[in-house]
Structures are given as structure tokens and as C-alpha cells.
Amino acid sequence: MTHRHRPPSSPPPPPPTEPTTYNIIPIHNLLADHPSLRFPEVRAATAALRSVGDLRHPPFIPWQPHFDLLDWLGAFFGFQSHNISNQREHLVLHLSNAQMRLQPPPNNIDSLDPSVLRKFRKKLLNNYSHWCSFIGSSEMDIREGARELVPLESIGSADGSSRSGRSLRRADSTMSTMFKGHEYGTALMKYTYVVACQIYGTQKARKDPHAEEILYLMKNNEALRVAYVDEVVKRDETDYYSVLVKYDQELEKEVEIYRVKLPGPLKLGEGKPENQNHALIFTRGDAVQTIDMNQDNYFEEALKMRNLLEEYRSKYGLRKPNILGVRENIFTGSVSSLAWFMSAQETSFVTLGQRVLANPLKIRLHYGHPDVFDRFWFLTRGGLSKASRLINLSEDIFAGFNCTLRGGNVTHHEYIQVGKGRDVGLNQVSMFEAKVASGNGEQVLSRDVYRLGHRLDFFRMLSFFYTTVGFFFNTMMISLTVYAFLWGRLYLALSGVENSVAGDASTNRALGTILNQQFIVQLGIFTALPMIVENTLEMGFLSAIWDFITMQLQLSSVFYTFSLGTRSHYFGRTILHGGAKYRATGRGFVVEHKKFAENYRLYARSHFIKAIELGLILTVYAGYSPVAKGTFTYIALTISSWFLVVSWIMAPFVFNPSGFDWLKTVYDYDDFMNWIGFRGGVFAKSEESWERWWYEEQDHLRNTGLFGKLFEVILDLRFFFFQYGIVYQLGIAAGSKSVAVYILSWIYVVVALGLYTILVYARDKYSAREHIYYRLVQFLVVALGILIITALLEFTQFKFLDIFTSLLAFIPTGWGFLLIAQVFRPILEKTIIWGTVVSVARTYDTMFGVIVLTPVAVLSWMPGFQSMQTRILFNEAFSRGLMLRGSTEVDMRYRFDSSD
């Protein structure tokens, strides 16, 4: 048998390897045909990094000939490989751009000029040297250490032969000839765009359409990069990575550039500043411009960016700028009157306000994007944003605090602007103002504001106070002043003091005249003065006056009065209890009808109940004050307060599209009653269940301390004053001023609570299966009430009108008990009383909802009012769309009803 010898099989071909991904410059392959590699400065910077000289090789990693200085640092200190790659490209770009900007240009551009390296080292180590000086190290020690670590002066020429195979001189490659034909490569080197979208990885995993839209943007914009946080779930733990991706035009797919492991989950603090900080390492260059997703840009404005960056070379005062402020152009003002009000308010601040703050007041901070930051300066001083939870809710302003405290300079420039879209719906506006007001409440508690208050001179401190926390403090004081005035007048009326001075009519007439003039100021003339001045500068005096009159006719005073309530409520609550939280408004282009239940959830505690309280005070005052007998004097005294009450109740419906449509009002009422009655379960949301919303509204009381709870109880005691003052005015009191009258009035409270408890118990036990017993209990309670009222009318001086008058006394008492019970919830929740508290609270919210909805229903019933609201408050396109949408919905409902 013969054996055939098979020839040895050839080894299988190696699998095809994908090309190495890179961000902007393919540093791994300097021979590649890439636009940025046509610049000898890039090759010189790359070659300089590979000149490690006689540095000691790392002991645990075999040294490779192609390793450079950053590989050496990574080997010695254990840095992540992707972190090293990221910093390598960053360093190459910075050194090459600095070499291009040298004046006068060097003769040999094949190697880096030593002056570039010295300036870079000085800028990078400036803050570090200052810090070392505080702990006792001398400047000489720092310089010697830096020279021992990196002999920068000799780096450029150690391996300085350019791989381009040619020796160039800057004289042969001026700026004009150098960039000519290479504009695309220059743009790639000098401008990069990083979108910080931390949930992009999650969106890709669940096939979210938003992920496809982001990929489409990267596909059509080669310079666009997306930074997101990737969560890798392992058996025992979860690893978190900051990932930078781009779309590779050759591979025609998304590729990963860098993946840097994080020490833990990203959202340890506030989401937005954490999002900025994790993506900041992937930015490039000396400056970084932060732009929100609700902002726009214009081609002609982008051409001015080079001029703006040149501002870093000029001194403003004693120092060069560290933040370049840019004005904003609000482009959403034409949507509706509400959007116009927000646009005018924002424009007056981002133009006239910030212009004056920068010069001559020298106290402009960072109030939001699109300001341009000195990137190296901020990287060595804590980053762009502070991200501690709660205290740094308004993260933007803390960048300005940090810059001012560390001796930085902030400027403002009018010749360049960036478009910005503000909120166009009242609910969005209110949530944004609630977030800003809560953030300012946390700023009051921060060390940054404390230090600025100690270190600023007197005049800058006044300007700083007015433009930050002082504005919200003054707003809160306005609301408290209205409360103090009305409660004081009520006390004077119910205590009889006004009766004793009723003969001196000139006193009240003079007071009425003063308050009338004050109301004219409160209408918005004084507060709108900055807006009038700004519009005068921009458009002319007559146009500014006409716009102001038009805004008043479109009820701008109602909106600004409503905003005053929003700011004062959330600022005061944060000061007293803390617990500020971020409220995502979406910043969407939303003009749609909001249901009454949604408006009630958002505004019940901040506006509706407070307006009902003030309206109750004014009603009681009108009934028992001798001043109310003089109609003019009463109107002069209370018109501003009644205006505030009406604004706080009606603004959410006045600025609500189709807010006075009769069918929508009816459906809103049904939806509200379903929401109130739905008890839900453990997983029910606040949008579905009243009880879940009611518990969420008490979160601030769970986080507050002993002082906050004590102060809350003291504030709630004011509701008991109604009962104390009104019971002496009832007919059954027979003019007695004895304290026994007040003590006996509590019998009414006890009896009412007992009867309500019996009804609730009977409902829960019998209403489902033995309904006849529940009806019997209701009959017995009603019969007992009629019997008691009849006996009082027969045997006492009780009047039938006292039934309605007593409601003004005892309903506030019950509300005060409810508020105090919420403070002591941890104790009462374990007792049988808590069920009664929840049930009574449900009844009160039902009553408040009906009170608020009643004027809306009346106006909805009036013919033509809805059309007038739509015409006045929205532009022609939206008005036509709302009318067509309304008629279509009515037609569909008619068809649906007829089919039944």
C-alpha cells in the first residue's frame, strides 16, 4: 500500500482588519491622504510627541519604537488607552494651530518652535503653579519639575524631519497660500462639533426613532460627533463609559472613536451639567462654545466667529476675557402673544441687561448659552459646570460665579448673535420659571454666593444682587406685601378698628389714592421700562410705545402677574424647605389645548389656592368693612388685589388654546372628576390618580428640617383667624364679645367632622353591595342637619344667612387642619386618622376645582368669546388651524354620537 503525501496546507488568510478609526486627524498613519495631514505643522507636532529623548522606559511594559510621550505617560501612570488617544489628538491639534498662529512666522515649519511649547506649558500650568504656591512650593520647583518630565524645548527638533519629504519655510507658506485649496482640512482642524446626548446608547438599544435621526445627522455632517454614556451590564456590576462616535463615510456606518471608562454612574449630580462635563474631554481647541438644543444659528453670523475668537487677544480692563458673552435672537415671538411676551422679556435681558452688566458694571456672569469659554482656563479650574445635586440646579450661573471668584473676566459682544427658541406654551413657561426660581433659592444657600457677597465691592455687589437672587427675593417680597396688606385690612375690619376711624373718611380716601397710583405702577409701566428702552434702541421710540400698548391690549399684565406668582412660590418654597428639582419643559413647538386636570395639577398649590385665599379675604372685607360702603374707596383700595386674584386664576385658561370652547370645557370637567375619583394603585402616576399627585405635592415636607416644619405650621395658623373673626359677626353671637363664643364655635367643627366621618364610613362599607343602607345613612344625616337648623332658628338668634356666612369661617379652618396634618404625616400616617385626612383633602380639591372651573364655564357659554380669544392671542396661521381643528373635532363627535 502506498501512502500519498499530501502537500502541507497553506495557512488560512488573515481576517480582513477594519481601518483604525480616528476623530479628526489620522495620527496613526501620517502617510494617509487626509486634508489635515497636508499641513506640515500637524506632522511636526506628531513627530515632536514621538521624541521621548532619554526618558526612562516604563518597567512593566515592553517599550515599542513607535511609542510617543503620551504612551510613556500612560505606561507609567496606568491611563486608559482611549483616554491617551483622545489627549494625543487634542495635543497635536493645539500645538499645530498654535504654530500656525505664530507672528512673525518661523522660517522652518518642519519642527515646532520652542516659543509655542513655552506658551502652552505656561498656560497649562498657570493654575497649577498658583495652587502650588499656596502649599509652599516655589515657582522654580514647578519649572524644574516640568522640564525634568518633558524637555519641551528640545522636543520639536529631536525627530523633526517632516514625513512630507520636503523642507518648508513659513516664508514660502504664508497664510493665504497655505490654506488655499485646503479649506476643508482647515475647517476640520479648527472647528469640531460634539453633541452631548447621554441617552443615545439607550435609544439605539431600544430602536428609538430618535437614534435614527441622530445617525442621519452624523451621516450628512461629517464633522459632527456624538458623545453618550454606555452602560455595560456584567454579572456582578455595571460599567459606565463615555463614548464618542462618528459616521465613517468609507465604511458607511457608525464607528466608535474613543471609549473612556468612568468611575461610576454618570448622573450622581444634576443631569445637564453631568452631560456637559462627560463630553467636554472630546472637545478640541482653545475655546468651546456651548449651545443648547433649542438654539439656532445663521450662516452670516458663523462668518463672524473668527472675529469673536480674536477678542481673546484684547484686554477688557486689566485682564483678557475668559468668557465671551454673545447676544441671542429670540425667533419664536411670532407664534402667539404669550411667545411674544416671553421673547420681549428675554430680549430685554440678553441685550440691554447683559450689555450694561458687562460694561460699565463689570458683573456680567454666565446666564446660559451660547457664551464662548476659554477652554484651557476652565478645564484647569473645575470645568464648565458644577453638578452637585440640588444646589447646582441652575448650572449655568455657577460657571460665572466660578469665573468671577477666580479672577476671570466676562465680556459681552453685540456684533454676533445666535438664534434661540423660547417656550411658547404657558405650562412650559411656568415649568421653566419654576426651575429658575428654585435654582435661585438654592443659590442663596451656596458658598459661591456667600463668597461673592464678601469679596465684591459695594457697587458690584448691588448689581450682582439685583441680577441674581435679589430679583427673585424682591418678587417674593411683592407677594408677601400683598398678603400683609390684605390680612392687615381684614384684621382692622373684623376687630372693629375701622369702625372707630370710619368718621375720618379723608384717611381712607388718601390711602386709596396712594394705592391707586401704586396699581398703575404695578400694571407693568415700571417693570416694562427696560423693555421699552431696549425696543427704543433697537426699533425707535414710536415702535417701542406701540409694541407696549399692543402688549397691554393682549393681556401681557395678566401674564407677568401670573409669572410673579410662579417665581415667588417656588423661590419661597426652596428657601424654606429646599428640595429643588429639574423640570423638563421639552422646549417644544407646542400650541395645543391643555386639559383642566393638567392645569390644576400644575397650578393648584402655586396659584389657584392662593388666589382663592386672597379672594376670600377681599370678600369678607367687603362684607364687614365700613370702607366697603364707599364704592370708590373700596375699589381704589382693592382693585390691584382683585386684579392679582383674577390673573392667578384665569391666566392658565386665557392663554390656553381653545380655553373657552364649551365642548372642551365639558370634557375637561368630566376628565377632572375622573382624575379626582380614581384611586389607582401602587404604580399609578400623578397624571392618572389624584392621590398620587397629592402625595407628590408633599415631597418638600419630607425633606425639610425641624425649622421648616415649625415655620410651615406657623404659616398655616393664619387660616384659623377667619373663624375667630367671623363667628363674632354671626347673628347667633347676639353681639357678644366673650371668648366663650369662639370656644363654642368649635362644636360646629367637631359635629361637621363627625358627620363627614360617618358618611365616608357608610360609603366605603355599604355603597358597593348594600346601597340602600348608604342611602339611609345619608337621609338620617340630612334629617339631623335640618332638625338642628330648625331648632337654632326657633330658640336662638340664629339667622338663615348665618349658614352661608359660617362657611367663610369654617372652610378655611378645615384647610388649615389639613395643611398641619400634612406636616405631621409621618406620625398620623400610622393611625386611623390618616384615612379621614386623605378623604377630606380629596373633597377640598374637588371644591377648589369647581370654584376655578366655574368662571371658565361661564365664559365658555358666552357666544363669540372663544373666537375673540383665539384671534387676539394667536397669529393668523395658528388661529386658522385652531378653528379648523375645533370644527373637525365637533364634526367627528357629532358623527360618533349619531352612530350610537
Side-chain angles (χ1 to χ4, degrees):
M1 181 180 290
T2 60
H3 297 276
R4 295 183 179 180
H5 295 280
R6 294 181 179 181
S9 59
S10 58
T17 59
E18 293 187 355
T20 304
T21 59
Y22 61 92
N23 185 16
I24 301 172
I25 304 177
I27 303 176
H28 61 281
N29 183 14
L30 294 181
L31 298 179
D33 184 18
H34 192 269
S36 60
L37 294 180
R38 297 170 186 170
F39 299 105
E41 287 84 355
V42 175
R43 301 178 183 273
T46 307
L49 290 181
R50 294 181 179 177
S51 302
V52 296
D54 56 353
L55 291 174
R56 183 166 58 92
H57 290 178
F60 305 110
I61 297 178
W63 186 257
Q64 301 295 330
H66 63 274
F67 280 4
D68 60 11
L69 183 61
L70 291 175
D71 291 317
W72 182 87
L73 290 172
F76 258 99
F77 298 102
F79 297 142
Q80 300 179 44
S81 60
H82 279 264
N83 208 348
I84 290 295
S85 301
N86 180 39
Q87 296 301 329
R88 177 185 293 112
E89 183 186 60
H90 178 208
L91 190 57
V92 168
L93 275 173
H94 180 82
L95 293 176
S96 57
N97 280 323
Q99 177 95 339
M100 293 177 186
R101 292 196 300 264
L102 275 183
Q103 293 294 333
N107 291 327
N108 185 12
I109 57 175
D110 288 340
S111 61
L112 288 180
D113 192 83
S115 63
V116 172
L117 304 172
R118 283 194 295 268
K119 290 179 181 178
F120 175 71
R121 184 180 64 188
K122 181 180 178 181
K123 185 172 186 178
L124 189 62
L125 300 179
N126 183 42
N127 187 58
Y128 175 68
S129 61
H130 283 305
W131 175 75
C132 289
S133 65
F134 284 113
I135 61 174
S137 299
S138 65
E139 187 75 19
M140 185 59 68
D141 295 336
I142 300 167
R143 290 180 180 175
E144 290 299 328
R147 286 178 181 149
E148 183 178 352
L149 178 64
V150 187
L152 291 175
E153 275 74 7
S154 60
I155 252 181
S157 56
D159 190 19
S161 58
S162 173
R163 300 196 177 201
S164 61
R166 56 198 178 109
S167 178
L168 298 176
R169 292 180 304 151
R170 174 60 76 190
D172 301 328
S173 179
T174 61
M175 296 296 278
S176 58
T177 58
M178 178 181 177
F179 292 138
K180 191 172 183 179
H182 306 312
E183 294 84 359
Y184 182 67
T186 307
L188 288 178
M189 290 178 57
K190 293 188 174 295
Y191 297 100
T192 58
Y193 308 91
V194 179
V195 176
C197 181
Q198 55 185 324
I199 62 173
Y200 179 55
T202 308
Q203 291 174 337
K204 288 195 298 183
R206 62 170 184 253
K207 306 298 183 181
D208 194 316
H210 292 93
E212 296 295 329
E213 294 169 358
I214 294 175
L215 181 62
Y216 175 80
L217 289 175
M218 288 192 291
K219 185 184 302 185
N220 289 274
N221 301 274
E222 185 179 355
L224 183 65
R225 308 290 184 259
V226 175
Y228 69 94
V229 177
D230 190 23
E231 301 181 9
V232 179
V233 181
K234 297 182 179 179
R235 180 175 301 178
D236 300 328
E237 60 181 1
T238 302
D239 292 336
Y240 299 87
Y241 296 88
S242 285
V243 182
L244 184 72
V245 296
K246 74 171 184 178
Y247 185 84
D248 195 305
Q249 301 292 341
E250 297 180 1
L251 300 178
E252 296 185 349
K253 69 176 183 177
E254 177 189 302
V255 295
E256 188 176 292
I257 306 173
Y258 303 122
R259 172 176 289 264
V260 180
K261 186 176 181 180
L262 301 173
L266 176 70
K267 294 182 67 173
L268 295 176
E270 293 295 335
K272 185 178 178 182
E274 292 282 20
N275 193 25
Q276 292 179 355
N277 289 334
H278 101 90
L280 184 61
I281 62 172
F282 300 127
T283 58
R284 297 292 182 258
D286 295 303
V288 56
Q289 184 181 25
T290 52
I291 297 182
D292 276 338
M293 297 305 292
N294 66 315
Q295 291 182 321
D296 194 9
N297 215 329
Y298 312 101
F299 176 75
E300 63 274 14
E301 300 297 329
L303 298 177
K304 305 174 186 176
M305 182 55 65
R306 181 179 180 275
N307 302 75
L308 182 66
L309 296 178
E310 286 294 322
E311 300 286 351
Y312 280 117
R313 299 178 180 271
S314 306
K315 286 188 176 182
Y316 288 84
L318 300 177
R319 303 180 184 91
K320 294 181 179 180
N322 303 104
I323 298 179
L324 300 177
V326 178
R327 64 170 285 167
E328 299 168 0
N329 176 41
I330 313 299
F331 57 79
T332 52
S334 61
V335 175
S336 64
S337 62
L338 186 67
W340 186 29
F341 303 156
M342 281 298 296
S343 174
Q345 178 179 307
E346 190 78 6
T347 302
S348 64
F349 176 70
V350 300
T351 54
L352 179 66
Q354 295 190 19
R355 179 192 309 154
V356 174
L357 287 175
N359 185 27
L361 298 181
K362 297 296 292 182
I363 195 58
R364 185 193 187 277
L365 303 173
H366 173 57
Y367 307 99
H369 308 144
D371 291 354
V372 181
F373 293 83
D374 186 335
R375 184 172 175 274
F376 274 99
W377 196 91
F378 277 91
L379 274 178
T380 56
R381 288 161 178 83
L384 299 183
S385 301
K386 291 188 177 181
S388 299
R389 190 168 291 278
L390 298 182
I391 198 72
N392 297 132
L393 179 65
S394 300
E395 79 289 342
D396 296 331
I397 193 72
F398 283 91
F401 290 164
N402 188 35
C403 181
T404 304
L405 284 170
R406 294 175 180 269
N409 195 4
V410 186
T411 61
H412 183 73
H413 304 278
E414 294 282 340
Y415 58 81
I416 185 172
Q417 64 181 6
V418 172
K420 187 171 187 177
R422 283 246 63 100
D423 307 286
V424 297
L426 184 64
N427 291 8
Q428 295 174 316
V429 171
S430 298
M431 284 191 291
F432 172 75
E433 291 189 336
K435 177 231 175 186
V436 174
S438 300
N440 273 268
E442 294 290 347
Q443 291 173 33
V444 175
L445 311 176
S446 66
R447 289 176 292 180
D448 303 74
V449 172
Y450 173 79
R451 290 168 179 166
L452 283 169
H454 274 264
R455 287 164 173 78
L456 288 175
D457 60 82
F458 180 73
F459 298 102
R460 293 180 73 198
M461 183 177 65
L462 291 180
S463 302
F464 164 74
F465 173 77
Y466 177 75
T467 54
T468 52
V469 297
F471 173 76
F472 292 87
F473 180 78
N474 293 339
T475 301
M476 184 181 66
M477 290 305 299
I478 292 174
S479 298
L480 294 179
T481 302
V482 173
Y483 269 85
F485 170 73
L486 292 182
W487 276 104
R489 299 296 298 193
L490 180 65
Y491 173 77
L492 293 177
L494 295 179
S495 63
V497 175
E498 281 195 346
N499 282 323
S500 62
V501 296
D504 188 6
S506 59
T507 302
N508 286 317
R509 192 178 300 110
L511 180 60
T513 304
I514 294 172
L515 292 176
N516 197 20
Q517 294 174 353
Q518 177 191 2
F519 173 64
I520 294 176
V521 174
Q522 289 177 347
L523 270 176
I525 295 178
F526 183 75
T527 55
L529 187 59
M531 182 187 66
I532 296 176
V533 174
E534 186 270 331
N535 286 340
T536 302
L537 294 175
E538 297 286 337
M539 301 178 296
F541 180 73
L542 293 179
S543 298
I545 296 299
W546 176 251
D547 283 350
F548 175 73
I549 296 174
T550 306
M551 291 178 68
Q552 296 301 323
L553 294 176
Q554 292 187 342
L555 306 179
S556 64
S557 296
V558 175
F559 166 71
Y560 290 129
T561 304
F562 187 83
S563 298
L564 180 142
T566 304
R567 291 191 292 263
S568 60
H569 171 77
Y570 287 100
F571 181 77
R573 174 186 283 189
T574 306
I575 291 292
L576 190 57
H577 303 294
K581 61 181 178 181
Y582 182 80
R583 291 171 170 83
T585 63
R587 303 282 174 87
F589 201 66
V590 180
V591 181
E592 61 182 6
H593 177 78
K594 299 296 181 181
K595 294 183 178 181
F596 175 76
E598 181 178 350
N599 285 330
Y600 187 84
R601 286 191 295 268
L602 191 58
Y603 305 120
R605 298 298 183 259
S606 59
H607 294 84
F608 292 158
I609 294 175
K610 292 182 177 180
I612 292 173
E613 176 190 349
L614 296 178
L616 181 61
I617 295 174
L618 292 169
T619 303
V620 175
Y621 182 72
Y624 297 104
S625 170
V627 178
K629 297 177 182 178
T631 306
F632 174 78
T633 305
Y634 174 75
I635 292 176
L637 283 173
T638 60
I639 185 174
S640 60
S641 301
W642 275 115
F643 181 79
L644 184 141
V645 170
V646 172
S647 298
W648 284 5
I649 290 181
M650 296 304 298
F653 311 104
V654 169
F655 297 107
N656 187 16
S658 303
F660 298 106
D661 182 87
W662 174 250
L663 288 178
K664 282 187 169 61
T665 303
V666 173
Y667 292 138
D668 284 353
Y669 173 75
D670 293 338
D671 177 73
F672 173 73
M673 297 307 296
N674 292 333
W675 174 71
I676 287 283
F678 181 68
R679 299 180 181 275
V682 179
F683 301 104
K685 298 179 180 179
S686 60
E687 294 83 3
E688 303 168 347
S689 169
W690 167 89
E691 193 166 335
R692 175 61 57 187
W693 167 81
W694 188 68
Y695 280 118
E696 288 182 359
E697 286 296 314
Q698 304 171 31
D699 286 344
H700 63 282
L701 296 176
R702 302 180 64 182
N703 301 324
T704 190
L706 179 62
F707 174 78
K709 291 182 178 180
L710 179 63
F711 204 81
E712 184 73 21
V713 171
I714 293 174
L715 290 176
D716 296 339
L717 292 177
R718 71 184 186 273
F719 292 101
F720 296 99
F721 179 75
F722 285 99
Q723 178 182 343
Y724 178 74
I726 293 177
V727 292
Y728 289 101
Q729 313 295 330
L730 299 176
I732 194 174
S736 174
K737 302 301 180 184
S738 173
V739 71
V741 175
Y742 178 67
I743 296 175
L744 290 174
S745 67
W746 285 96
I747 297 176
Y748 178 92
V749 178
V750 175
V751 171
L753 181 61
L755 294 177
Y756 182 83
T757 305
I758 292 173
L759 287 174
V760 171
Y761 176 78
R763 182 195 63 190
D764 295 339
K765 188 171 184 179
Y766 300 120
S767 62
R769 296 183 179 181
E770 299 173 321
H771 195 69
I772 187 64
Y773 292 113
Y774 177 53
R775 293 301 182 187
L776 178 60
V777 172
Q778 286 181 323
F779 172 75
L780 293 175
V781 169
V782 172
L784 179 61
I786 295 175
L787 182 62
I788 292 175
I789 292 174
T790 304
L792 291 174
L793 288 171
E794 184 68 26
F795 300 107
T796 66
Q797 299 184 28
F798 184 79
K799 300 177 182 178
F800 189 77
L801 186 62
D802 289 350
I803 298 176
F804 303 100
T805 307
S806 61
L807 294 177
L808 302 179
F810 297 115
I811 289 179
T813 299
W815 181 247
F817 274 122
L818 271 179
L819 295 179
I820 294 176
Q822 292 176 18
V823 176
F824 293 100
R825 173 186 167 186
I827 301 174
L828 297 178
E829 202 169 15
K830 303 174 184 177
T831 65
I832 196 174
I833 303 176
W834 187 249
T836 304
V837 172
V838 176
S839 181
V840 173
R842 190 190 305 272
T843 303
Y844 267 91
D845 273 317
T846 304
M847 179 182 63
F848 291 147
V850 172
I851 292 174
V852 173
L853 193 58
T854 298
V856 179
V858 172
L859 294 176
S860 300
W861 176 78
M862 295 175 61
F865 199 84
Q866 168 59 38
S867 301
M868 182 175 63
Q869 180 224 15
T870 304
R871 293 278 185 182
I872 292 176
L873 299 182
F874 299 96
N875 63 29
E876 185 176 352
F878 276 98
S879 299
R880 190 183 306 114
L882 288 171
M883 291 179 180
L884 289 175
R885 187 186 309 170
S887 61
T888 304
E889 291 178 358
V890 170
D891 182 58
M892 293 183 66
R893 288 171 188 154
Y894 174 76
R895 292 178 184 177
F896 180 78
D897 293 339
S898 61
S899 64
D900 291 344

